[in-house]
């Protein structure tokens, strides 16, 4: 088979959300078989940014099905048995015709090109692909919207159970329901030359379902645009730009253009690395950094939550599409009754990406992105059924302001440990449910808990590697991701664990890992510094680093105050700069010679 290309893909096994795109009168008498086809076809075009109601195009339509609308066919046959030929259901008959889904999809999506239904059991989709290739090569259409639809019905299940001998040679006896649609053309990045999944008599559309699932882009252009905007705003805020100007401006490119060239080059380089397998520096700023980011994503199909600056040397944390899907689907059980998501975390961060972008998309609920500012009118914004995605520092500010949450709010927190006392205070502030996620950039989410002082539960998509009652590593159950745990985790009964500290002595400042030892080493390079000790503040002091500095003989603090602060600004990230500096003649130590707090 000559190569053809997938420009967009979508798979669904359920029909929720159709009312967002179509009027109720159009869906009123539509059966599940047709609704599956309509939803998958509409979302496939939506992902390709094609609106056929406003665009004139020669897109063709092919729908394949192994069994057709089984439920309506059985309803029609039952009506004949129960009521006789003259009183048989006309509606069931019209819906039982294999071509009925094609009719509804073409009318509601305004498809004007050639249209065809193919039904040949397990070879249906393969035959449809051959027809699509012929149409594309002959010029009958510039693009072909091709779909495969099949539904599960109890008649098929009974036939399978009551005739085991007939089906004993079939390897896969699990039935599957759904609709998969692909937008095909002669050009693109995702090519198909032959079907990798063998045809299955009991699952005639299985090959199409698998192909669409693998080819469906994890991100659309609009989603990459949001990630790019969040990344730009976060980086500008990180280096001291006015936070209100940064987060209230809807167009991040406006602020980006106002920054000086070295900063713009650094941001553009970071955005490039977000969608590339290896971190690299670029020499020129692309004319359109959002378009450049999307092209990188389409080419590599990965997202790289790389660490740099405050986490030591650059480390790539690559996540492929199948890994992202596995995590999002494995987390969805936590949010079954959520109606809307309010996200205060940038989608360029691994936490914001999964919970503020992928989870809402999987659940089919809307998202509102808001800056993490406690002065915002949260009491007016939050509604019953909302999921508020936040982090401990922001939640602590809300509690400090005596904020009372409206009824029915679920709060999600991560990026840093949420103190047990804060969890208790949040419940006292009328939070309906609090979920704390334990995870890392390398792995994504690892465990979760809902109560203060409770252990974390290992999420179901992980297999744990346990030695001497310590959870030392984890591996995904269905993808290739394996991670060594950066913390000391003590395993308990029932697949739960408790955090007992970090292996690498890192601490967290505003959800970012920083290394006091690294900060000490950099401060020692200042020509006036003799010795230095850096540590995290005590809770009553704040949540930043503090430093104790011993100056070289003959130098006073007043003499080097300006140069020291300039040195820190040029050599440390915002999170690494000590908020408090104490000068003295020697580093404070205990009677045993170990460093102590001051």
């Amino acid at each position: 088979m000559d190569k053809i290309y997938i420009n967009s893909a979508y798979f669904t096994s359920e029909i929720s959300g159709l009312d967002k795109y179509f009027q109720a009168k159009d869906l009123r008498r539509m059966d599940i078989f047709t609704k599956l086809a309509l939803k998958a076809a509409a979302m496939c075009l939506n992902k390709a940014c094609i609106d056929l109601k406003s665009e004139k195009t020669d897109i063709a339509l092919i729908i394949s099905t192994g069994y057709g609308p089984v439920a309506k066919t059985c309803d029609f046959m039952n009506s004949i048995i129960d009521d006789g030929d003259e009183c048989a259901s006309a509606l069931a008959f019209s819906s039982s015709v294999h071509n009925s889904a094609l009719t509804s999809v073409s009318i509601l999506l305004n498809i004007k090109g050639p249209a065809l239904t193919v039904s040949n059991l397990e070879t249906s989709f393969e035959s449809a692909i051959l027809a699509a290739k012929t149409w594309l090569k002959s010029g009958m259409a510039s693009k072909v919207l091709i779909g495969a639809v099949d539904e599960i019905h109890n008649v098929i299940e009974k036939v399978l159970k009551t005739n085991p001998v007939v089906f004993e040679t079939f390897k896969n006896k699990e039935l599957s329901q759904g609709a998969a649609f692909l937008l095909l053309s002669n050009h693109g990045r995702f090519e198909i030359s032959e079907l990798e999944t063998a045809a299955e008599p009991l699952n005639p559309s299985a090959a199409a379902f698998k192909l669409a699932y693998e080819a469906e882009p994890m991100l659309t252009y609009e989603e990459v645009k949001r990630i790019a905007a969040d990344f730009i705003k976060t980086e500008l805020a990180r280096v001291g730009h006015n936070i209100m100007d940064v987060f209230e401006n809807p167009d991040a490119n406006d602020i980006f253009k106002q920054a000086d060239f070295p900063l713009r080059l650094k941001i553009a380089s970071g955005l490039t690395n977000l969608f590339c397998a290896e971190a690299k520096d670029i020499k020129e700023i692309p004319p359109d950094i959002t378009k450049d980011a999307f092209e990188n994503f389409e080419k590599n199909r990965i997202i790289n939550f790389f660490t740099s600056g405050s986490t030591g040397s650059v480390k790539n944390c690559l996540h492929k599409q199948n890994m992202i899907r596995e995590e999002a689907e494995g987390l969805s059980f936590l949010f079954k009754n959520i109606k809307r998501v309010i996200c205060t975390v940038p989608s360029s961060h691994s936490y914001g990406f999964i919970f503020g972008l992928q989870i809402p998309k999987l659940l089919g609920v809307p998202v509102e992105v808001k800056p993490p500012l406690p002065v915002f009118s949260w009491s007016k914004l939050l509604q019953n059924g909302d999921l508020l995605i936040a982090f401990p520092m922001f939640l602590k500010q809300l509690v400090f302001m005596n904020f009372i949450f409206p009824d029915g709010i679920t709060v999600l927190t991560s990026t840093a440990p949420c103190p047990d006392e804060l969890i208790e205070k949040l419940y006292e502030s009328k939070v309906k449910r609090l979920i704390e996620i334990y995870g890392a950039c390398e792995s994504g989410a690892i465990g979760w808990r809902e109560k203060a002082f409770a252990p974390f539960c290992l999420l179901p998509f992980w297999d744990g590697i346990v030695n001497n009652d310590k959870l030392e590593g984890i591996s995904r159950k269905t993808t290739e991701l394996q991670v060594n745990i950066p913390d000391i985790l003590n395993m308990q009964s029932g697949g739960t664990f408790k955090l007992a500290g970090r292996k690498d002595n890192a601490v967290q400042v505003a959800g970012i890992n920083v290394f006091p030892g690294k900060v000490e080493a950099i401060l020692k390079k200042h020509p006036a510094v003799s010795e230095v000790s850096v540590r995290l503040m005590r809770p009553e002091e704040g949540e930043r680093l503090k430093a104790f500095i011993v100056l070289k003989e003959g130098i006073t603090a007043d003499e080097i105050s300006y140069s020291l602060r300039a040195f820190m600004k040029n050599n440390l990230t915002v999170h690494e700069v000590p908020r408090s500096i104490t000068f003295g003649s020697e580093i404070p130590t205990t009677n045993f010679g170990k460093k102590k707090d001051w």
Side-chain angles (χ1 to χ4, degrees):
M1 181 188 291
D2 293 334
K3 291 180 181 179
I4 52 178
Y5 298 84
I6 300 175
N7 301 131
S8 177
Y10 188 81
F11 167 77
T12 185
S13 59
E14 47 84 29
I15 58 175
S16 64
L18 270 174
D19 54 345
K20 298 177 184 178
Y21 302 96
F22 303 98
Q23 297 181 27
K25 64 182 182 66
D26 295 327
L27 306 172
R28 187 163 59 92
R29 294 186 176 182
M30 191 176 291
D31 64 307
I32 292 177
F33 179 84
T34 302
K35 286 182 177 179
L36 284 168
L38 181 60
K39 179 179 178 180
M43 294 305 298
C44 182
L45 292 176
N46 180 266
K47 285 180 174 292
C49 299
I50 294 176
D51 182 4
L52 293 180
K53 294 181 180 179
S54 61
E55 295 182 26
K56 292 183 179 180
T57 178
D58 62 343
I59 288 179
L61 174 64
I62 302 177
I63 295 181
S64 70
T65 178
Y67 297 130
V70 180
K72 284 301 178 182
T73 299
C74 291
D75 287 347
F76 175 61
M77 297 302 295
N78 286 334
S79 72
I80 294 177
I81 295 171
D82 295 337
D83 304 316
D85 293 353
E86 294 182 358
C87 295
S89 171
L91 177 61
F93 171 71
S94 64
S95 298
S96 71
V97 178
H98 282 40
N99 212 40
S100 60
L102 184 90
T103 303
S104 297
V105 172
S106 60
I107 292 173
L108 292 177
L109 295 184
N110 197 36
I111 294 178
K112 303 296 187 182
L116 174 69
T117 295
V118 179
S119 184
N120 193 24
L121 292 178
E122 68 267 27
T123 63
S124 299
F125 184 62
E126 185 177 4
S127 300
I129 288 284
L130 289 170
K133 186 195 80 168
T134 302
W135 289 3
L136 289 171
K137 297 302 180 183
S138 66
M140 283 183 64
S142 61
K143 292 182 174 66
V144 177
L145 181 62
I146 180 174
V149 194
D150 271 300
E151 61 180 340
I152 295 175
H153 192 264
N154 57 11
V155 169
I156 300 175
E157 293 177 324
K158 287 181 179 179
V159 169
L160 179 63
K161 291 178 181 179
T162 56
N163 297 274
V165 176
V166 176
F167 301 105
E168 64 181 354
T169 59
F170 291 4
K171 293 181 180 179
N172 186 358
K173 299 180 183 179
E174 294 295 325
L175 302 178
S176 59
Q177 172 173 288
F181 271 75
L182 315 168
L183 186 63
L184 305 181
S185 74
N186 288 318
H187 306 283
R189 288 194 172 89
F190 197 101
E191 62 181 75
I192 52 172
S193 54
E194 60 183 24
L195 298 180
E196 296 180 358
T197 303
E200 299 177 2
L202 290 177
N203 294 274
S205 293
F209 294 170
K210 181 176 185 293
L211 182 60
Y213 188 81
E214 292 176 347
E216 180 187 346
M218 180 174 63
L219 297 172
T220 65
Y221 178 80
E222 289 301 317
E223 289 168 341
V224 171
K225 185 177 180 180
R226 173 183 160 188
I227 293 171
D230 285 353
F231 184 83
I232 292 169
K233 292 178 179 181
T234 302
E235 291 303 306
L236 290 172
R238 192 192 301 274
V239 297
H241 278 242
N242 186 292
I243 293 179
M244 294 298 291
D245 287 346
V246 167
F247 286 102
E248 288 187 344
N249 194 319
D251 190 350
N253 284 308
D254 287 347
I255 316 171
F256 175 73
K257 292 175 182 176
Q258 297 172 16
D260 58 37
F261 179 79
L263 178 57
R264 284 188 289 126
L265 187 63
K266 180 181 178 182
I267 292 174
S269 182
L271 193 55
T272 297
N273 293 334
L274 197 61
F275 299 106
C276 293
E278 296 182 0
K280 58 184 179 181
D281 292 324
I282 61 175
K283 303 301 181 183
E284 297 181 358
I285 301 173
D288 187 332
I289 59 174
T290 300
K291 182 179 179 181
D292 183 71
F294 184 68
E295 289 176 349
N296 281 327
F297 166 71
E298 281 200 313
K299 177 181 178 181
N300 300 306
R301 292 295 180 106
I302 56 97
I303 187 162
N304 182 6
F305 298 115
F306 58 90
T307 61
S308 61
S310 60
T311 55
S313 58
V314 173
K315 180 168 57 176
N316 295 334
C317 303
L318 298 178
H319 292 261
K320 298 178 182 179
Q321 289 199 160
N322 59 344
M323 297 176 186
I324 295 293
R325 285 198 178 99
E326 182 184 26
E327 182 177 6
E329 291 171 357
L331 286 161
S332 61
F333 75 95
L334 292 170
F335 312 107
K336 289 184 178 179
N337 298 318
I338 296 302
K339 298 177 182 177
R340 188 178 62 152
V341 171
I342 308 297
C343 187
T344 67
V345 182
S347 56
S348 53
H349 187 283
S350 58
Y351 171 48
F353 178 82
I354 285 292
F355 293 97
L357 191 63
Q358 296 298 315
I359 291 290
K361 187 164 55 174
L362 185 65
L363 298 177
V365 298
V367 183
E368 286 198 30
V369 181
K370 298 295 180 183
L373 303 175
V375 296
F376 199 73
S377 300
W378 292 103
S379 58
K380 296 180 180 179
L381 173 66
L382 294 174
Q383 302 171 5
N384 195 314
D386 280 352
L387 170 66
L388 174 62
I389 300 175
F391 46 92
M393 182 178 290
F394 171 64
L395 295 172
K396 182 178 180 181
Q397 292 172 329
L398 289 180
V399 168
F400 178 78
M401 295 171 61
N402 296 318
F403 178 76
I404 301 298
F405 286 83
D407 292 339
I409 304 300
T410 299
V411 172
L412 185 75
T413 179
S414 191
T415 73
C418 191
D420 294 309
E421 296 76 11
L422 179 56
I423 294 176
E424 291 183 326
K425 288 180 179 178
L426 286 165
Y427 276 116
E428 291 173 4
S429 301
K430 306 301 182 183
V431 167
K432 177 184 178 181
R433 185 184 181 205
L434 182 133
I435 304 171
E436 181 181 6
I437 297 293
Y438 167 77
C441 283
E442 298 92 331
S443 61
I446 296 173
W448 65 284
R449 67 172 184 166
E450 293 189 30
K451 300 294 182 181
F453 304 103
F456 287 90
C457 300
L458 187 66
L459 284 160
F461 48 85
W462 289 112
D463 283 324
I465 302 171
V466 181
N467 287 317
N468 298 320
D469 295 327
K470 306 288 184 187
L471 183 61
E472 296 188 349
I474 47 178
S475 61
R476 288 284 181 87
K477 290 185 176 181
T478 62
T479 56
E480 64 270 30
L481 184 60
Q482 295 185 0
V483 179
N484 292 322
I485 301 293
D487 299 316
I488 301 171
L489 303 182
N490 294 327
M491 288 299 296
Q492 299 184 340
S493 61
T496 62
F497 61 87
K498 277 204 167 184
L499 180 62
R502 285 192 66 92
K503 297 175 183 177
D504 55 11
N505 297 317
V507 297
Q508 289 201 330
V509 175
I512 300 295
N513 292 333
V514 297
F515 296 80
K518 175 195 169 188
V519 177
E520 288 179 0
I522 291 175
L523 291 177
K524 284 181 181 179
K525 294 180 180 180
H526 189 282
V529 174
S530 175
E531 294 182 73
V532 61
S533 179
V534 176
R535 65 193 303 145
L536 189 66
M537 289 179 169
R538 296 188 298 274
E540 65 270 19
E541 294 175 318
E543 298 178 340
R544 301 295 293 271
L545 295 182
K546 61 180 181 178
F548 192 101
I549 293 178
V550 178
L551 298 175
K552 292 182 178 178
E553 189 174 351
I555 301 176
T556 66
D558 290 339
E559 291 174 339
I560 61 97
S561 177
Y562 178 80
S563 68
L564 181 60
R565 294 197 178 277
F567 178 84
M568 290 191 295
K569 183 177 180 180
N570 292 331
N571 292 278
L572 300 173
T573 68
V574 173
H575 297 84
E576 290 174 329
V577 174
R579 176 63 60 85
S580 171
I581 298 178
T582 302
F583 294 95
S585 58
E586 60 182 19
I587 300 295
T589 58
T590 66
N591 293 333
F592 297 98
K594 294 184 178 180
K595 290 182 181 180
K596 68 176 184 179
D597 201 359
W598 57 89

